[in-house]
Amino acid sequence: MSFADLGLSDELLRAVSDAGYDTPTPIQKGAITPVLMGKDLIGIAQTGTGKTASFVLPMIDVLAEGRSRARMPRSLILEPTRELAAQVAENFEKYGKYHNLSMTLLIGGVQMGDQVKALEKGVDVLIATPGRLLDLFERGKILLTACDLLVIDEADRMLDMGFIPDIESICQKLPKNRQTMLFSATMPPPIKKLADRFLNDPKMIEVARPATANKNIDQQIVQVAPRAKQKMLEEILSGKEVETAIVFCNKKVTVRDLTSKLRRDGFRVGQIQGDMEQKDRIAELDRFKAGEINILVASDVAARGLDIKGVSHVVNYDVPWQPDDYVHRIGRTGRAGASGIAITLATRADADAVDAIEKLTKHKIGGKAKAEPETKAEPEKKAETPKAESPRVENSDEDKPKRRRRGGRGRKKSDEVTPGVEAAEAAYEDDRPDTAAAKALPAKPLAPEVAEGEWSGPVPSFLSVGAR
Ligand code: AMP
């Protein structure tokens, strides 16, 4: 099946072909025609599956006829984060280049004045995060009564971030006979309830999760002592096959610290985390996309759904606390036919978290490529002998005090949350460590096949490259 079989206009087919795509992905095959026909839709799909184009393409054709009026957007796309909103906007630009549709982005962290001016001119496509949209609605700057098309994207992420009440409130402000599309990687009960309440006889399309379906991702795990993590990361990033890498950390503070250290050590590195201003995050993304930097250190919320093609490596500097995040993280590599490598640095304290991931993905991470790093990575300080890095020491005292501190009483000023959408994002990133740490500890002893000082399989090529 080609794009031409889906019922899209010639202009749109030309834009798709300009983008270099000739075959629709499964979600595109399933979603585009029903959306063109005005049906409601539930898409169980996550980023990396081509889901954005599955709603952007038909929307462009649906909206091609008709005109917008001041302050009355004709369609609305709700996104959980500013980055995702910005990426959907990029998709509209890419595929809508032969159409004359107006588009506005309503996201936190940027001046409201320009957004209000754009709304007053009339917009065909409004892409918004829920907080900023409701804010402008309550100020009387926007009317939703002519909004006949609604997309709720990344619904499960919205749930994680506490946005469901906002979404319900927004749905109630839209015309009842609108067309609604809901996309979610999973369908937990609150999302099912939301769909039952606000969608009308939807067509349901489910596509395989990239982590289980995507054979293009070579998943590896490296057992490492906490204090040797940075050193190991630098060895990995120095590998000559590493063209571009996203390095994921569980905490914003780790993103900040690690970025400084890598920069100090000569890497071309940038960061993206929830405390950064919107314009700074976008600037950093642009630098990465332009090749000015080739390593991006990121936190989960800030990086969710990043649409960056050709990322050769994903490195989990921390094992994610939520197994779902692992799936999302490694989905940044090996996308749309390209192959990629995902490397997870795991300490002994991460054993339960790794188990949870393997249960979810039904895949044993890196059966072949495990390494005991103490023999490869030199200790950072002289005092940190391999003995001092022994399992018992590393488990019990490295992370625990820090995690307790983040619980509230000793919270650092720089980690305090800010109001609005930013607060939801910040809280999400800050809140998880407590519950997750409780689950992740105490650590299990290492499995016998990765006992100290032994390689459990062939030495992965990325470990043998030292010099940059
Ligand atoms: P998404 O799931 O929307 O985040 O898209 C994942 C990536 O796949 C993006 O980089 C898209 O530009 C790309 N993409 C979308 N549709 C196709 C297609 N039909 N063929 C190849 N790549 C695509």
Side-chain angles (χ1 to χ4, degrees):
M1 185 189 268
S2 73
F3 278 103
D5 301 321
L6 297 172
L8 296 167
S9 66
D10 289 345
E11 292 86 354
L12 219 36
L13 292 176
R14 194 141 54 100
V16 169
S17 153
D18 291 352
Y21 307 141
D22 47 22
T23 312
T25 65
I27 185 81
Q28 292 164 0
K29 279 182 198 157
I32 289 175
T33 309
V35 176
L36 283 173
M37 290 164 69
K39 278 207 68 76
D40 281 9
L41 181 105
I42 296 177
I44 305 178
Q46 55 187 203
T47 49
T49 56
K51 78 169 160 69
T52 315
S54 79
F55 61 84
V56 168
L57 291 172
M59 275 181 78
I60 292 173
D61 268 352
V62 169
L63 294 167
E65 281 167 28
R67 284 189 45 201
S68 59
R69 283 180 286 163
R71 280 189 286 163
M72 296 173 87
R74 296 172 61 209
S75 67
L76 171 65
I77 299 168
L78 293 173
E79 293 289 338
T81 67
R82 308 151 184 186
E83 285 71 26
L84 280 166
Q87 274 166 31
V88 172
E90 277 176 23
N91 271 256
F92 269 100
E93 269 163 17
K94 181 161 72 174
Y95 302 124
K97 63 191 214 186
Y98 300 118
H99 286 79
N100 200 15
L101 294 177
S102 57
M103 174 180 72
T104 294
L105 208 53
L106 290 191
I107 49 180
V110 292
Q111 289 283 320
M112 262 193 209
D114 292 345
Q115 297 178 347
V116 170
K117 266 190 225 148
L119 284 171
E120 274 162 11
K121 281 194 205 143
V123 292
D124 296 303
V125 182
L126 186 61
I127 305 165
T129 48
R132 177 58 67 101
L133 178 79
L134 281 176
D135 198 352
L136 282 162
F137 184 87
E138 272 144 29
R139 289 166 196 239
K141 304 288 183 200
I142 185 166
L143 292 166
L144 294 170
T145 43
C147 192
D148 293 324
L149 232 163
L150 170 68
V151 177
I152 304 166
D153 196 16
E154 302 263 338
D156 51 349
R157 198 63 166 184
M158 301 272 202
L159 175 70
D160 284 349
M161 294 172 78
F163 286 153
I164 296 300
D166 284 356
I167 291 178
E168 288 174 342
S169 153
I170 292 166
C171 283
Q172 282 160 344
K173 298 180 188 350
L174 264 65
K176 273 208 162 57
N177 59 352
R178 65 172 187 271
Q179 182 179 6
T180 308
M181 289 163 255
L182 180 145
F183 290 87
S184 193
T186 55
M187 281 299 266
I191 301 299
K192 173 93 184 46
K193 218 170 114 199
L194 185 81
D196 289 346
R197 186 164 166 211
F198 292 109
L199 274 74
N200 177 22
D201 186 24
K203 181 164 172 66
M204 177 98 98
I205 294 156
E206 184 164 4
V207 300
R209 306 173 69 98
T212 47
N214 196 335
K215 301 277 185 291
N216 290 329
I217 304 174
D218 176 10
Q219 298 176 54
Q220 306 176 4
I221 194 160
V222 178
Q223 298 290 345
V224 65
R227 286 177 196 178
K229 275 168 88 169
Q230 189 198 329
K231 184 92 184 161
M232 178 56 77
L233 175 70
E234 294 197 2
E235 278 196 40
I236 291 168
L237 295 177
S238 300
K240 63 176 180 306
E241 70 283 7
V242 177
E243 291 156 19
T244 45
I246 304 185
V247 178
F248 283 99
C249 307
N250 288 356
K251 301 175 190 174
K252 292 179 281 192
V253 66
T254 318
V255 173
R256 280 195 292 268
D257 290 352
L258 191 60
T259 306
S260 316
K261 285 176 183 157
L262 291 175
R263 190 172 293 136
R264 185 197 62 200
D265 290 347
F267 290 89
R268 292 188 296 122
V269 61
Q271 64 176 310
I272 177 159
Q273 37 87 2
D275 276 349
M276 287 163 67
E277 292 279 329
Q278 164 72 355
K279 64 174 175 18
D280 296 333
R281 295 196 210 178
I282 289 176
E284 208 73 332
L285 255 184
D286 286 346
R287 285 195 328 128
F288 189 67
K289 285 183 178 175
E292 244 173 80
I293 51 175
N294 71 328
I295 295 160
L296 196 58
V297 185
S299 61
D300 289 292
V301 168
R304 180 83 167 206
L306 285 185
D307 180 15
I308 301 166
K309 267 184 256 148
V311 177
S312 69
H313 287 66
V314 164
V315 184
N316 291 316
Y317 186 75
D318 298 313
V319 178
W321 288 300
Q322 304 289 339
D324 251 15
D325 281 334
Y326 177 82
V327 177
H328 284 273
R329 289 178 180 189
I330 72 164
R332 306 305 108 225
T333 186
R335 314 177 78 187
S339 62
I341 295 176
I343 302 167
T344 299
L345 302 189
T347 67
R348 285 158 213 266
D350 295 317
D352 285 351
V354 171
D355 275 356
I357 290 166
E358 292 180 341
K359 257 193 209 105
L360 176 79
T361 60
K362 300 188 179 70
H363 174 91
K364 183 141 182 68
I365 309 172
K368 294 189 299 260
K370 286 181 183 168
E372 176 56 55
E374 280 94 337
T375 55
K376 291 293 285 183
E378 286 164 29
E380 277 172 85
K381 292 184 207 119
K382 225 178 164 208
E384 291 167 7
T385 59
K387 196 151 191 272
E389 301 263 56
S390 71
R392 252 163 257 118
V393 175
E394 93 198 28
N395 283 344
S396 51
D397 51 20
E398 260 287 287
D399 281 344
K400 266 197 207 157
K402 275 186 227 141
R403 285 176 180 165
R404 253 187 250 124
R405 204 170 53 227
R406 294 178 71 81
R409 283 184 296 278
R411 197 176 178 115
K412 277 195 283 171
K413 219 170 175 196
S414 62
D415 283 336
E416 276 167 13
V417 295
T418 46
V421 174
E422 292 93 313
E425 288 188 19
Y428 182 77
E429 290 191 346
D430 277 351
D431 284 350
R432 290 185 302 168
D434 296 322
T435 45
K439 276 191 216 140
L441 297 169
K444 281 202 236 160
L446 259 190
E449 71 269 22
V450 285
E452 272 161 277
E454 280 174 13
W455 298 100
S456 63
V459 179
S461 59
F462 62 84
L463 287 177
S464 61
V465 181
R468 246 169 297 139

